Every structure is written in C-alpha cells, then in structure tokens.
Amino acid sequence: MIPEERYGNEGELDTAAIFLASPASSYVTGVNLPVDGGYTCM
C-alpha cells in the first residue's frame, strides 16, 4: 500500500541526507523530510 508501489532502493535515503548536509539546504529549518515513497501522504 505504498503509492510508489515499490520499496525503497539502496541509496535513495542517502540522497536526502546529502541534500540536508549540502549548502543547497541552507535555508531549510525545522522540517521533517519523509523518504517513504509517499506513504505519509495517504
């Protein structure tokens, strides 16, 4: 019952962590970033 209809693959969580550790996320504060294939949208 995951909207993406598949489980996550190796490395998909890594990209979120790299984004949060990079300067690209310098203006991101106090947010939950679910990496769950859309499960929390249901």
Side-chain angles (χ1 to χ4, degrees):
M1 304 275 332
I2 300 170
E4 285 287 322
E5 299 181 356
R6 65 176 180 83
Y7 291 107
N9 294 320
E10 184 177 337
E12 288 181 320
L13 182 59
D14 298 348
T15 55
I18 291 168
F19 166 71
L20 290 173
S22 76
S25 68
S26 65
Y27 206 67
V28 176
T29 59
V31 65
N32 291 326
L33 181 62
V35 181
D36 62 4
Y39 183 77
T40 56
C41 292
M42 296 175 49

Short mmCIF file of all heavy atoms in Angstrom, two decimals:
data_model
loop_
_atom_site.label_atom_id
_atom_site.label_comp_id
_atom_site.label_asym_id
_atom_site.label_seq_id
_atom_site.Cartn_x
_atom_site.Cartn_y
_atom_site.Cartn_z
N MET A 1 0.82 -1.19 0.00
CA MET A 1 0.00 0.00 0.00
C MET A 1 0.87 1.26 0.00
O MET A 1 0.57 2.23 0.65
CB MET A 1 -0.93 0.00 1.20
CG MET A 1 -1.81 -1.21 1.33
SD MET A 1 -3.39 -1.27 0.44
CE MET A 1 -3.94 0.35 0.23
N ILE A 2 1.96 1.23 -0.71
CA ILE A 2 2.83 2.40 -0.86
C ILE A 2 2.52 3.04 -2.21
O ILE A 2 2.49 2.35 -3.23
CB ILE A 2 4.32 1.99 -0.80
CG1 ILE A 2 4.63 1.32 0.54
CG2 ILE A 2 5.23 3.20 -1.01
CD1 ILE A 2 5.99 0.68 0.61
N PRO A 3 2.24 4.36 -2.27
CA PRO A 3 1.90 4.99 -3.54
C PRO A 3 2.90 4.75 -4.67
O PRO A 3 2.53 4.64 -5.82
CB PRO A 3 1.82 6.47 -3.19
CG PRO A 3 1.39 6.48 -1.77
CD PRO A 3 2.11 5.31 -1.16
N GLU A 4 4.17 4.66 -4.36
CA GLU A 4 5.17 4.39 -5.39
C GLU A 4 5.14 2.94 -5.85
O GLU A 4 5.79 2.58 -6.82
CB GLU A 4 6.58 4.71 -4.87
CG GLU A 4 6.90 6.18 -4.80
CD GLU A 4 7.11 6.79 -6.17
OE1 GLU A 4 7.69 6.15 -7.06
OE2 GLU A 4 6.68 7.93 -6.33
N GLU A 5 4.39 2.11 -5.13
CA GLU A 5 4.21 0.69 -5.44
C GLU A 5 5.52 -0.11 -5.47
O GLU A 5 5.67 -1.06 -6.22
CB GLU A 5 3.45 0.52 -6.76
CG GLU A 5 2.06 1.12 -6.70
CD GLU A 5 1.27 0.95 -7.97
OE1 GLU A 5 1.80 0.42 -8.97
OE2 GLU A 5 0.10 1.34 -7.96
N ARG A 6 6.46 0.32 -4.65
CA ARG A 6 7.71 -0.43 -4.51
C ARG A 6 8.39 0.01 -3.22
O ARG A 6 8.09 1.06 -2.66
CB ARG A 6 8.66 -0.16 -5.69
CG ARG A 6 9.13 1.29 -5.77
CD ARG A 6 10.13 1.50 -6.89
NE ARG A 6 10.59 2.86 -6.97
CZ ARG A 6 11.55 3.40 -6.24
NH1 ARG A 6 12.18 2.68 -5.33
NH2 ARG A 6 11.89 4.65 -6.39
N TYR A 7 9.28 -0.81 -2.74
CA TYR A 7 10.09 -0.44 -1.59
C TYR A 7 11.25 0.40 -2.06
O TYR A 7 11.62 0.38 -3.24
CB TYR A 7 10.61 -1.69 -0.87
CG TYR A 7 9.52 -2.46 -0.18
CD1 TYR A 7 9.07 -3.66 -0.68
CD2 TYR A 7 8.93 -1.97 0.98
CE1 TYR A 7 8.06 -4.37 -0.05
CE2 TYR A 7 7.91 -2.66 1.62
CZ TYR A 7 7.49 -3.86 1.10
OH TYR A 7 6.49 -4.55 1.73
N GLY A 8 11.84 1.15 -1.14
CA GLY A 8 12.99 1.99 -1.48
C GLY A 8 14.19 1.16 -1.88
O GLY A 8 14.38 0.04 -1.44
N ASN A 9 15.00 1.74 -2.73
CA ASN A 9 16.23 1.09 -3.17
C ASN A 9 17.42 1.64 -2.39
O ASN A 9 17.36 2.73 -1.82
CB ASN A 9 16.46 1.34 -4.67
CG ASN A 9 15.43 0.68 -5.52
OD1 ASN A 9 15.01 -0.44 -5.27
ND2 ASN A 9 14.98 1.36 -6.56
N GLU A 10 18.48 0.88 -2.41
CA GLU A 10 19.70 1.31 -1.76
C GLU A 10 20.15 2.64 -2.36
O GLU A 10 20.16 2.83 -3.57
CB GLU A 10 20.80 0.26 -1.99
CG GLU A 10 22.07 0.58 -1.27
CD GLU A 10 23.11 -0.51 -1.46
OE1 GLU A 10 22.74 -1.65 -1.76
OE2 GLU A 10 24.29 -0.19 -1.30
N GLY A 11 20.46 3.59 -1.50
CA GLY A 11 20.95 4.88 -1.95
C GLY A 11 19.90 5.98 -2.01
O GLY A 11 20.23 7.15 -2.08
N GLU A 12 18.62 5.61 -1.97
CA GLU A 12 17.58 6.64 -2.05
C GLU A 12 17.50 7.48 -0.78
O GLU A 12 17.20 8.66 -0.84
CB GLU A 12 16.23 6.02 -2.38
CG GLU A 12 16.17 5.54 -3.81
CD GLU A 12 14.85 4.94 -4.21
OE1 GLU A 12 14.24 4.21 -3.39
OE2 GLU A 12 14.44 5.18 -5.34
N LEU A 13 17.78 6.90 0.35
CA LEU A 13 17.83 7.67 1.59
C LEU A 13 19.10 8.52 1.63
O LEU A 13 19.10 9.63 2.18
CB LEU A 13 17.78 6.74 2.80
CG LEU A 13 17.77 7.39 4.16
CD1 LEU A 13 16.57 8.33 4.30
CD2 LEU A 13 17.74 6.34 5.25
N ASP A 14 20.16 8.02 1.03
CA ASP A 14 21.43 8.75 1.01
C ASP A 14 21.29 10.11 0.34
O ASP A 14 21.88 11.09 0.79
CB ASP A 14 22.51 7.95 0.27
CG ASP A 14 22.81 6.62 0.94
OD1 ASP A 14 22.37 6.40 2.08
OD2 ASP A 14 23.50 5.80 0.30
N THR A 15 20.50 10.18 -0.73
CA THR A 15 20.38 11.46 -1.44
C THR A 15 19.71 12.52 -0.58
O THR A 15 20.06 13.69 -0.65
CB THR A 15 19.60 11.28 -2.76
OG1 THR A 15 18.34 10.68 -2.50
CG2 THR A 15 20.37 10.41 -3.74
N ALA A 16 18.76 12.13 0.26
CA ALA A 16 18.13 13.07 1.17
C ALA A 16 19.13 13.55 2.22
O ALA A 16 19.18 14.75 2.54
CB ALA A 16 16.92 12.44 1.85
N ALA A 17 19.94 12.65 2.74
CA ALA A 17 20.95 13.03 3.73
C ALA A 17 22.00 13.95 3.12
O ALA A 17 22.42 14.92 3.74
CB ALA A 17 21.61 11.79 4.31
N ILE A 18 22.40 13.66 1.89
CA ILE A 18 23.39 14.52 1.21
C ILE A 18 22.80 15.90 0.97
O ILE A 18 23.47 16.91 1.16
CB ILE A 18 23.85 13.87 -0.10
CG1 ILE A 18 24.70 12.64 0.22
CG2 ILE A 18 24.63 14.84 -0.96
CD1 ILE A 18 24.98 11.74 -0.97
N PHE A 19 21.53 15.96 0.56
CA PHE A 19 20.88 17.26 0.37
C PHE A 19 20.88 18.06 1.66
O PHE A 19 21.23 19.24 1.67
CB PHE A 19 19.45 17.08 -0.13
CG PHE A 19 18.62 18.33 -0.01
CD1 PHE A 19 18.87 19.41 -0.85
CD2 PHE A 19 17.62 18.44 0.93
CE1 PHE A 19 18.12 20.58 -0.73
CE2 PHE A 19 16.87 19.59 1.05
CZ PHE A 19 17.12 20.67 0.21
N LEU A 20 20.49 17.43 2.78
CA LEU A 20 20.42 18.15 4.05
C LEU A 20 21.80 18.58 4.55
O LEU A 20 21.91 19.57 5.27
CB LEU A 20 19.72 17.28 5.10
CG LEU A 20 18.23 17.09 4.86
CD1 LEU A 20 17.66 16.08 5.85
CD2 LEU A 20 17.48 18.41 4.92
N ALA A 21 22.84 17.87 4.16
CA ALA A 21 24.20 18.22 4.57
C ALA A 21 24.86 19.22 3.61
O ALA A 21 25.94 19.73 3.91
CB ALA A 21 25.05 16.96 4.66
N SER A 22 24.21 19.52 2.50
CA SER A 22 24.82 20.38 1.48
C SER A 22 24.38 21.83 1.64
O SER A 22 23.39 22.13 2.32
CB SER A 22 24.43 19.89 0.09
OG SER A 22 23.09 20.27 -0.19
N PRO A 23 25.09 22.76 1.00
CA PRO A 23 24.69 24.16 1.02
C PRO A 23 23.32 24.40 0.36
O PRO A 23 22.68 25.41 0.63
CB PRO A 23 25.78 24.86 0.21
CG PRO A 23 26.97 23.95 0.28
CD PRO A 23 26.39 22.57 0.34
N ALA A 24 22.86 23.48 -0.45
CA ALA A 24 21.55 23.64 -1.11
C ALA A 24 20.41 23.69 -0.10
O ALA A 24 19.34 24.22 -0.40
CB ALA A 24 21.32 22.51 -2.10
N SER A 25 20.61 23.15 1.09
CA SER A 25 19.57 23.15 2.11
C SER A 25 19.82 24.20 3.19
O SER A 25 19.26 24.12 4.27
CB SER A 25 19.46 21.78 2.75
OG SER A 25 20.63 21.51 3.52
N SER A 26 20.62 25.21 2.89
CA SER A 26 20.99 26.20 3.90
C SER A 26 19.81 26.99 4.45
O SER A 26 19.87 27.50 5.56
CB SER A 26 22.03 27.17 3.34
OG SER A 26 21.47 27.93 2.29
N TYR A 27 18.71 27.09 3.72
CA TYR A 27 17.54 27.83 4.18
C TYR A 27 16.45 26.89 4.71
O TYR A 27 15.37 27.33 5.07
CB TYR A 27 17.00 28.69 3.03
CG TYR A 27 16.24 29.91 3.49
CD1 TYR A 27 16.89 30.94 4.16
CD2 TYR A 27 14.89 30.03 3.25
CE1 TYR A 27 16.19 32.06 4.58
CE2 TYR A 27 14.18 31.14 3.67
CZ TYR A 27 14.84 32.15 4.33
OH TYR A 27 14.16 33.26 4.74
N VAL A 28 16.72 25.60 4.78
CA VAL A 28 15.76 24.62 5.28
C VAL A 28 15.97 24.48 6.79
O VAL A 28 17.05 24.15 7.24
CB VAL A 28 15.97 23.24 4.60
CG1 VAL A 28 15.05 22.19 5.20
CG2 VAL A 28 15.75 23.37 3.11
N THR A 29 14.90 24.75 7.55
CA THR A 29 14.99 24.62 9.01
C THR A 29 13.72 23.99 9.55
O THR A 29 12.63 24.22 9.03
CB THR A 29 15.15 25.99 9.69
OG1 THR A 29 14.03 26.80 9.35
CG2 THR A 29 16.42 26.68 9.27
N GLY A 30 13.85 23.18 10.56
CA GLY A 30 12.72 22.62 11.29
C GLY A 30 11.70 21.88 10.44
O GLY A 30 10.51 22.11 10.58
N VAL A 31 12.16 20.99 9.60
CA VAL A 31 11.23 20.26 8.75
C VAL A 31 11.50 18.76 8.87
O VAL A 31 12.64 18.34 9.03
CB VAL A 31 11.37 20.72 7.27
CG1 VAL A 31 12.73 20.38 6.71
CG2 VAL A 31 10.30 20.12 6.40
N ASN A 32 10.44 17.98 8.82
CA ASN A 32 10.57 16.53 8.69
C ASN A 32 10.60 16.22 7.22
O ASN A 32 9.73 16.69 6.47
CB ASN A 32 9.40 15.80 9.35
CG ASN A 32 9.42 15.93 10.85
OD1 ASN A 32 10.47 15.97 11.46
ND2 ASN A 32 8.25 16.01 11.43
N LEU A 33 11.54 15.44 6.80
CA LEU A 33 11.66 15.08 5.39
C LEU A 33 11.44 13.59 5.23
O LEU A 33 12.37 12.80 5.30
CB LEU A 33 13.05 15.47 4.86
CG LEU A 33 13.34 15.19 3.40
CD1 LEU A 33 12.40 15.98 2.50
CD2 LEU A 33 14.78 15.53 3.08
N PRO A 34 10.18 13.19 5.05
CA PRO A 34 9.93 11.76 4.91
C PRO A 34 10.43 11.24 3.56
O PRO A 34 10.17 11.83 2.52
CB PRO A 34 8.41 11.64 5.01
CG PRO A 34 7.87 12.98 4.69
CD PRO A 34 8.96 13.97 4.99
N VAL A 35 11.18 10.17 3.62
CA VAL A 35 11.65 9.49 2.41
C VAL A 35 11.01 8.11 2.46
O VAL A 35 11.61 7.14 2.90
CB VAL A 35 13.19 9.41 2.40
CG1 VAL A 35 13.68 8.73 1.13
CG2 VAL A 35 13.81 10.79 2.54
N ASP A 36 9.75 8.07 2.04
CA ASP A 36 8.95 6.86 2.23
C ASP A 36 8.08 6.49 1.04
O ASP A 36 7.11 5.76 1.18
CB ASP A 36 8.09 7.01 3.49
CG ASP A 36 7.10 8.15 3.38
OD1 ASP A 36 7.01 8.80 2.32
OD2 ASP A 36 6.39 8.40 4.37
N GLY A 37 8.38 7.02 -0.12
CA GLY A 37 7.62 6.66 -1.32
C GLY A 37 6.20 7.17 -1.33
O GLY A 37 5.36 6.64 -2.04
N GLY A 38 5.90 8.18 -0.52
CA GLY A 38 4.56 8.74 -0.48
C GLY A 38 3.64 8.14 0.57
O GLY A 38 2.48 8.50 0.65
N TYR A 39 4.17 7.25 1.37
CA TYR A 39 3.34 6.56 2.38
C TYR A 39 2.67 7.53 3.33
O TYR A 39 1.51 7.35 3.70
CB TYR A 39 4.19 5.56 3.15
CG TYR A 39 3.41 4.76 4.16
CD1 TYR A 39 2.60 3.70 3.76
CD2 TYR A 39 3.50 5.05 5.51
CE1 TYR A 39 1.88 2.97 4.69
CE2 TYR A 39 2.78 4.31 6.44
CZ TYR A 39 1.97 3.28 6.03
OH TYR A 39 1.26 2.56 6.95
N THR A 40 3.36 8.60 3.75
CA THR A 40 2.78 9.54 4.71
C THR A 40 1.71 10.43 4.08
O THR A 40 0.99 11.12 4.79
CB THR A 40 3.86 10.43 5.35
OG1 THR A 40 4.58 11.09 4.33
CG2 THR A 40 4.79 9.62 6.21
N CYS A 41 1.59 10.43 2.77
CA CYS A 41 0.56 11.23 2.09
C CYS A 41 -0.80 10.56 2.12
O CYS A 41 -1.80 11.16 1.78
CB CYS A 41 0.96 11.49 0.64
SG CYS A 41 2.38 12.54 0.49
N MET A 42 -0.82 9.31 2.50
CA MET A 42 -2.08 8.56 2.47
C MET A 42 -2.94 8.89 3.66
O MET A 42 -2.62 9.14 4.69
CB MET A 42 -1.80 7.06 2.41
CG MET A 42 -1.10 6.69 1.15
SD MET A 42 -0.60 4.98 1.04
CE MET A 42 -2.03 4.11 1.49
#
